[in-house]
Amino acid sequence: MKATRSIPVLFFLLCGTACAQQNRPDAAPYRAKNGMVVSQDLHASEVGRAVLQGGGNAVDAAVATAFALAVTHPAAGNIGGGGFMVVMLEDGTATTFDFRERAPAASRPDMCLDEKGEYDSARHHFSHLAVGVPGSVAGLYLAHQRLGKLPWKDLVEPAVRLAAKGFRLSPGLAAELAGRLKQFRKYPATLAQFSKEGDPYRAGDLLVQGELAETLGRIRDRGAAGFYSGKTAELLAAEMRRGGGLINMADLRDYKPVEREPVRGTFRGFDLISMPPPSSGGVALVEMLNLLEETGIQTAAFRSPGEVHLLAEAMRRAYADRARHLADADFVEVPVERLTSKSYARTLAATIDPRKASSSSPTTFTWPAQGSETTHLSVVDSRKMSVALTTTLEYSYGSRIVVPGAGFLLNNEMGDFNPRAGLTTEKGLIGTKPNLVAPGKRMLSSMSPTIVAKAGRPVLVLGSPGGRTIINTVLGIIINHLVHGLPIQDAVDAPRLHHQWLPDKLLVEAGALSASTRAALEKMGHLVEQRSGKQGSAMAITVRRDGTLEAGCDRRRPDSAAAGY
Ligand code: DON
């Protein structure tokens, strides 16, 4: 046990759950003076903290944590998926890295339709055709080349060790793997990796992933080339040929991550730095925050009918714009400037009736004033360099396909393309044109790694998984913390809200609304529904006025952990 580990984390190590304060609403906030990593897994957060303590910067720690998550959080941590990284440097400048998966060259817009031309959801989400060309390794490599300090090998090595020597399964992960056995049986390599010859692992068992260790070893020794060429690439391409997928050696060779300018906005004196397309997150967040500023969200009490109404109406409008306009801006024109402008917020604000819910329809984007799996990690280092990194396989365990011989899971990210032009439904299928499949195109994402800053210094570093809910999870935490002044852990804990245009309903977590607030919203015309599960798993760090760091580590998932020093 390291002396630097704080009492809450010590508590969680001892009791087998890692997130500071889980089930202990009275616990003190988890703080650190120098650097901090928050992620969905304790082993991974500890790897990141050791990198910081060893002189690495926030990018080094994020890279090492991300590789560790590929071993210890297999549902979403990955090398077979993709993601986005937002970085704010010590000097206040910022940049982003886009390593979203791309459609293989042989992709076609109708590839998710069956022989009769009907939408085939299994093909779209659960087949070798659902796998996009992975971007994670290339993206982490590029970010490290641009901004890292420590040798690459030192950042990948902890993950190699975790895979080769194994790690003890937490009760949460053991239960999750056991619950997925039926799905894993479809692919022998997946079953072999995540079960004891078909029997479930139990909490406390050692999970050793030998083939993954070898693949990570090639990445450690050869950088991105250890994934996109040679043995790893050959094994991936062979699995694609075997299963009827499209990715070949040329797709892997041609994959390029992109460094992009962040999307920027302001909100009540704070600067927002977030991810541009192919993420929809940055644009939608700025659009919603502009609209909420314009409509005076700060005058409404926390969870009052007025506040929730404004939030729902802002969400509805931003998600409609998302469906209408957002996609890979390397392929289609995306009006980022207009959507994120204050003047657009004024236009939209005029369409909100303070007493009445608007209605959403698949056939119009106008507003007459009538009536699965991803993971996020945040890092701040001792010089206040900050990283928000969200990475995904799309669903939990992605396509569920482990590449035989290479030991890693492949994404099912092609499911994030719109499956068929015109197929926009009340239930929430989107058929708008910008996000249709094209060779080499990146599918639209909701991942929203975000940094809020003031005067060139980070104030809040955050993000979350949760598919289309991600943007609203991030929005809610920003509002809870910056507008309502909730301490960051409380801002993360607060039950969440989600409206995504279609279906036209406000989904709320249990406990989000009092009976009277709910009744008032229903009277305004909102369809309010309590979701059965939980929304997201946010990982946030705030930088306090005195420069200390405070964790907002989501207790919705069992193994989340903050590690600081
Ligand atoms: O990029 C996206 O928006 C989705 N592939 C994210 C999926 C996700 O967050 C599932 N996690 N719970």
Side-chain angles (χ1 to χ4, degrees):
M1 198 74 56
K2 288 186 190 136
T4 48
R5 203 173 262 150
S6 84
I7 288 164
V9 170
L10 174 68
F11 169 84
F12 286 107
L13 277 179
L14 293 174
C15 71
T17 60
C19 181
Q21 305 151 7
Q22 187 178 34
N23 299 327
R24 297 178 68 220
D26 56 328
Y30 182 78
R31 290 189 183 144
K33 238 168 121 176
N34 298 296
M36 188 185 279
V37 181
V38 289
S39 84
Q40 248 174 275
D41 178 72
L42 175 66
H43 302 279
S45 294
E46 287 188 328
V47 162
R49 173 174 56 187
V51 167
L52 292 178
Q53 288 176 307
N57 65 19
V59 168
D60 292 321
V63 167
T65 307
F67 277 114
L69 283 167
V71 181
T72 61
H73 182 50
N78 68 81
I79 54 174
F84 300 132
M85 185 193 285
V86 177
V87 187
M88 184 167 175
L89 287 76
E90 304 93 282
D91 64 2
T93 58
T95 190
T96 76
F97 296 95
D98 164 7
F99 45 100
R100 182 71 164 159
E101 298 90 331
R102 296 176 69 187
S107 306
R108 294 202 327 261
D110 61 356
M111 61 192 275
C112 299
L113 308 185
D114 65 15
E115 294 65 30
K116 290 190 216 132
E118 297 298 324
Y119 170 56
D120 180 340
S121 151
R123 220 177 269 205
H124 194 202
H125 296 290
F126 296 112
S127 71
H128 284 66
L129 290 174
V131 185
V133 184
S136 291
V137 176
L140 296 174
Y141 191 66
L142 174 65
H144 174 260
Q145 282 198 312
R146 277 275 292 109
L147 298 169
K149 244 167 79 179
L150 295 186
W152 170 258
K153 287 183 177 10
D154 295 358
L155 307 180
V156 188
E157 177 60 22
V160 177
R161 243 183 292 128
L162 279 165
K165 294 195 186 322
F167 65 98
R168 299 271 163 210
L169 288 174
S170 68
L173 181 51
E176 205 190 285
L177 291 177
R180 298 264 166 193
L181 270 191
K182 200 168 149 214
Q183 292 167 354
F184 293 164
R185 284 189 204 285
K186 193 168 163 198
Y187 300 108
T190 313
L191 188 68
Q193 184 142 340
F194 298 121
S195 73
K196 295 186 276 193
E197 295 177 13
D199 288 332
Y201 276 111
R202 311 242 171 254
D205 284 349
L206 196 64
L207 178 63
V208 175
Q209 299 171 82
E211 288 174 345
L212 176 59
E214 285 173 27
T215 299
L216 287 166
R218 290 190 286 275
I219 295 167
R220 173 197 59 202
D221 298 340
R222 297 184 55 222
F227 184 90
Y228 293 93
S229 65
K231 187 168 177 187
T232 316
E234 282 158 17
L235 289 167
L236 197 166
E239 174 61 15
M240 285 288 122
R241 286 194 299 276
R242 192 198 62 73
L246 299 179
I247 301 173
N248 59 28
M249 293 295 279
D251 289 310
L252 292 165
R253 183 198 61 211
D254 294 344
Y255 183 86
K256 296 268 177 308
V258 189
E259 184 170 359
R260 299 186 191 275
E261 273 296 310
V263 161
R264 290 173 186 275
T266 61
F267 177 67
R268 306 193 68 229
F270 291 94
D271 297 311
L272 227 94
I273 301 157
S274 192
M275 198 64 209
S279 170
S280 54
V283 170
L285 264 178
V286 173
E287 178 176 334
M288 289 192 281
L289 287 166
N290 282 342
L291 183 50
L292 292 168
E293 187 179 62
E294 182 64 32
T295 49
I297 185 89
Q298 68 279 5
T299 59
F302 180 65
R303 292 293 187 266
S304 61
E307 187 220 24
V308 180
H309 175 62
L310 283 181
L311 286 170
E313 293 301 314
M315 291 170 181
R316 180 202 303 281
R317 281 159 180 75
Y319 274 76
D321 279 337
R322 175 188 185 278
R324 187 179 193 183
H325 297 294
L326 282 158
D328 185 348
D330 294 344
F331 280 73
V332 295
E333 194 77 39
V334 182
V336 174
E337 277 202 19
R338 182 170 72 78
L339 295 175
T340 57
S341 69
K342 300 281 184 197
S343 62
Y344 183 56
R346 283 192 289 277
T347 314
L348 278 186
T351 68
I352 297 180
D353 181 332
R355 283 167 303 277
K356 198 154 188 203
S358 314
S359 61
S360 309
S361 141
T363 52
T364 173
F365 297 94
T366 55
W367 306 106
Q370 37 102 21
S372 358
E373 192 59 47
T374 301
T375 191
H376 178 85
L377 66 98
S378 295
V379 186
V380 180
D381 70 19
S382 60
R383 304 181 67 185
K384 304 293 180 278
M385 184 188 205
S386 313
V387 172
L389 167 59
T390 314
T391 182
T392 184
L393 288 168
E394 164 66 343
Y395 287 0
S396 275
Y397 304 90
S399 61
R400 322 259 154 85
I401 302 166
V402 163
V403 175
F408 66 91
L409 279 158
L410 289 166
N411 68 82
N412 60 334
E413 220 73 58
M414 296 290 283
D416 276 353
F417 279 115
N418 295 354
R420 197 171 100 188
L423 189 66
T424 299
T425 65
E426 299 276 0
K427 287 196 168 152
L429 262 182
I430 305 291
T432 46
K433 282 199 181 135
N435 187 38
L436 295 174
V437 185
K441 192 171 174 182
R442 291 173 153 91
M443 54 298 281
L444 181 64
S445 171
S446 300
M447 291 185 287
S448 313
T450 296
I451 298 174
V452 180
K454 190 152 198 166
R457 305 284 281 171
V459 171
L460 177 57
V461 184
L462 79 168
S464 176
R468 263 186 256 180
T469 66
I470 293 173
I471 313 169
N472 289 333
T473 296
V474 171
L475 174 79
I477 296 168
I478 292 175
I479 297 287
N480 294 347
H481 186 58
L482 296 187
V483 176
H484 298 300
L486 296 190
I488 192 61
Q489 186 62 52
D490 296 352
V492 167
D493 288 345
R496 298 185 174 139
L497 312 171
H498 175 68
H499 197 301
Q500 59 170 46
W501 176 50
L502 292 170
D504 187 354
K505 61 182 166 196
L506 178 64
L507 277 171
V508 302
E509 281 186 328
L513 305 177
S514 65
S516 64
T517 297
R518 182 171 179 157
L521 288 163
E522 285 169 348
K523 215 167 151 202
M524 289 181 194
H526 290 282
L527 182 64
V528 181
E529 191 177 303
Q530 185 177 313
R531 66 165 69 244
S532 50
K534 299 190 168 133
Q535 179 178 323
S537 174
M539 297 295 149
I541 300 174
T542 48
V543 183
R544 288 149 47 82
R545 282 216 181 90
D546 65 0
T548 51
L549 310 173
E550 189 167 315
C553 175
D554 212 316
R555 310 179 207 198
R556 288 168 179 78
R557 307 278 176 103
D559 297 326
S560 317
Y565 73 106

